[in-house]
Amino acid sequence: YVKADVETCEQRDPKGLYKRAKAGEIKNFTGISAPFEAPENPELVLNTSEKSVEECTSELMNYLREGGYLS
C-alpha cells in the first residue's frame, strides 16, 4: 500500500486536480468529496509522506527479496 496524505498528494499533483476538487469543480474525487478507505491489513506500507522515494524503493526491494519474489 503506497500511503500519502491528501496534502502530499495535492503538492505532487501536476494537473491541479486536487485544487479543482477542493473548489468543487470535480465531484466524487477520492479523498476530497468521496471517501477513501485504506486497506485494513496491507502486507507492506510505503509512507511516501514521511519517506523519500529512495527509502520507499529500498523498502520495497527488500520486501520483494525477502519474500522470494526477486533473487
Side-chain angles (χ1 to χ4, degrees), residues 1 43-44 46 56-71:
Y1 164 52
E43 291 182 42
L44 176 66
L46 301 172
C56 289
T57 302
S58 177
E59 221 175 297
L60 176 60
M61 295 303 291
N62 288 336
Y63 171 81
L64 293 172
R65 278 191 207 94
E66 290 172 8
Y69 300 105
L70 298 175
S71 52

Side-chain angles (χ1 to χ4, degrees), residues 6-7 14 18-19 25 30 40-41 44 47 68 70:
V6 173
E7 292 78 17
Y18 281 86
K19 183 181 261 185
E25 296 174 22
T30 304
E40 290 183 19
N41 193 19
L44 176 66
N47 191 337
L70 298 175

Side-chain angles (χ1 to χ4, degrees), residues 17-46:
L17 298 177
Y18 281 86
K19 183 181 261 185
R20 289 181 55 208
K22 284 185 171 182
E25 296 174 22
I26 301 174
K27 305 290 183 213
N28 298 317
F29 196 86
T30 304
I32 304 296
S33 56
F36 171 76
E37 295 181 21
E40 290 183 19
N41 193 19
E43 291 182 42
L44 176 66
V45 176
L46 301 172

